[in-house]
Amino acid sequence: MRAKDKMNYMKRILLIGIIAGLCSAVLFAENAASFNASTYKNLLLQVDQALAVLDTDVSAEYLIQKRDPGGATSTTKSTVFRRDAKNQFLVLILEPVIDKGKGYLKIGDNLWLYDPVGKTFTFTSAKERFQNSSFRNSDFEPSHLARDYEPLSAERVKLGTYDCTLLELQAVTKDAAYPKMKIWVSDDTLVRKREEYSLSGAIMRTIAIPSYQKIGNRWLPASMVIIDHLQSKKIGDKVEYERTTVTISKPSLKALPDTVYTKEYLERVAR
Amino acid sequence: MKYKFVLVLLCLVSSFAFTQESDVDNLFSDSKDIVTQENANNNHSDLTTAFTNAPKLQFSGSFSATGGLGIGYTQWPDLSSPLKYYDGSAGATATTTLVMKAQPSSALSVYGDISTSLDTMSSTPTYSWSDLHIGSLYFDYYGIPNMGIRGGQFATAWGHGRIFTATNLMQDSASSINLRVSLPLVLQGLSLFVLANKDYFTSTPTVYEYAYAGMVDHIIGPLRITGAMRYQKKEGLGTLFSVQGTLLGVDVFADTVIRYIDTFQQPIIVGGFFKEFSHTRLYGEYQYDGSNLNAQDHSIGLVFLQKRLVSQPLDAGIKWEHTFYDNSGQLIPGFTWSGLPNITLQVALPITYGPENSRYVINNSDPGKRRIVLAIAAKIEGSF
């Protein structure tokens, strides 16, 4: 009798498992069928539009605090001028003292680096990490998600206080910084979180943007936290990653003269 | 019981793995956006004024002093007589620099630096502070739209060589009086120069004896193309053509200088690469100097720098230069440790090789002209 009960119990468990499996398969099929790529492509366009400033310039101070795995910290303070319409930016390092006056000038796809000690410019397109932190030079640029990625899937999720759409993206242009990406887009079309992946699917960076600042009708990140999964160290029984916190202050949308985005200007202000 | 234990273990493992992820997600638990201004036209600060409207007069400066000793050999050691070529020395160098920046208006600024130094280790040692030396002194004027004018004594460098600088046609600019007119919006920047140096003139300067130069930068696709030209009556015409770009993630460049003095001279070519990883820097260069007639004057140089060795304030580096002209060269491995505020300890072992009277043996910067020397020095420096 006891053996029969046990058999019935096992059958019941099996039946529940089959039903659950069927339900999730049906739900998944429905989700896949209901996924409309063009709808989410439009969402990517709205995300780009929410963050792009095409009719004026953006100026701000960036405080970048890097914490290495294990605890060593470094801080970089810089002033950033950005012109999205022409894909240009100029970054001038204010701190630390040893790097004061170093400058970055991006024009199109090319980057000029200014060394105030040697008073020389280096032209490169190979420099990715900004001041050796997890913040990348491309992070100063406006978002081009709709141009560079296509959505593969979407689902509604909750991220802290935000109701978000979680999109899985795949790169479609060679300009895309990462082959795959997941983004959490809140209902006001702002990217709140981003996970960037390699082609093999390994996670490279996680970026959280817990708060934005609104200037007029434009949005700029107010703070960002970047976890670099490629820079890690095992501390005791825990793996620590390089963590970079970016605080953006003194935002301004005042239009700037064309001469700001020139080597001449960089040399002038870096002195 | 066993299953419970496995379950708890799994939970613990996953909690460790996702600690940092959940840390990130926790940032959103009470986050909210900031509305700084409702009206986009109101009160936008101009961050450029922090640079263009700086205080009217600023002074700053720096001080550095290095003391140390060097022990080595003027010829390769003779094992049967170990002290035969031995040479030991000790001494110190120091430099103090004062910098002045003045900004009478947002359109005009003046910059100058003066320095004094002492050196007990050079071939002509000085045991007291030298007379003040003007490093640079010039004005900048930005009152004309899209144009900058700089006049005075200042250094300009052309070409991309970090190791070999023979393609820098403006090497004498630091000791000349220069006038530079810059038009930054013409292509990627056009600069025109007039230079005056006592070596140019026979008596009262004439218009024909000044040096005239110009350089223009342009970007074509992923390449930076630079064309430059300089003319002075005695030295003739010098032209520089440079290409710089990035190949497979490595910065590469090629500079070519051709001079015309009555007839076209053979070219000087410098090519090189530069790559920087997180704490590692590697660059190398090749130079062909065609101005050296009847000689195959080829040289190579390589530099490797590693910062924060074993996560300590310890940097290591090695520099190697070699010329095939006379098979001479110099190899300099070294370490620096900067674990104390304002103090750096340096250890280097320069090795100079090649026949007597070869290029690197003659140009050996060691005052004792030692072929091999172990140099240990302490440097104290700071800015104020």
Side-chain angles (χ1 to χ4, degrees), chain B residues 120-143:
Chain B
T120 69
M121 292 195 285
S122 75
S123 52
T124 53
T126 53
Y127 298 98
S128 59
W129 290 101
S130 66
D131 292 338
L132 288 172
H133 164 77
I134 296 177
S136 53
L137 182 56
Y138 58 86
F139 71 86
D140 278 314
Y141 182 72
Y142 295 100

Side-chain angles (χ1 to χ4, degrees), chain A residues 112-113 120-124 263, chain B residues 157-169 171 215-219 223-228 240-245 251-257 269-274 283-287:
Chain A
W112 299 87
L113 309 179
T120 53
F121 283 94
T122 305
F123 175 82
T124 182
K263 290 182 292 166
Chain B
W158 287 356
H160 300 97
R162 293 174 171 84
I163 303 171
F164 301 118
T165 56
T167 55
N168 180 9
L169 294 175
Q171 275 181 357
M215 186 182 83
V216 66
D217 262 329
H218 190 44
I219 307 293
L223 297 177
R224 173 196 183 187
I225 311 289
T226 306
L240 167 69
F241 179 76
S242 297
V243 181
Q244 194 183 3
D251 293 330
V252 292
F253 75 89
D255 295 340
T256 304
V257 162
I269 299 168
V270 175
F273 70 92
F274 178 90
Y283 56 95
E285 288 173 14
Y286 158 80
Q287 174 180 276

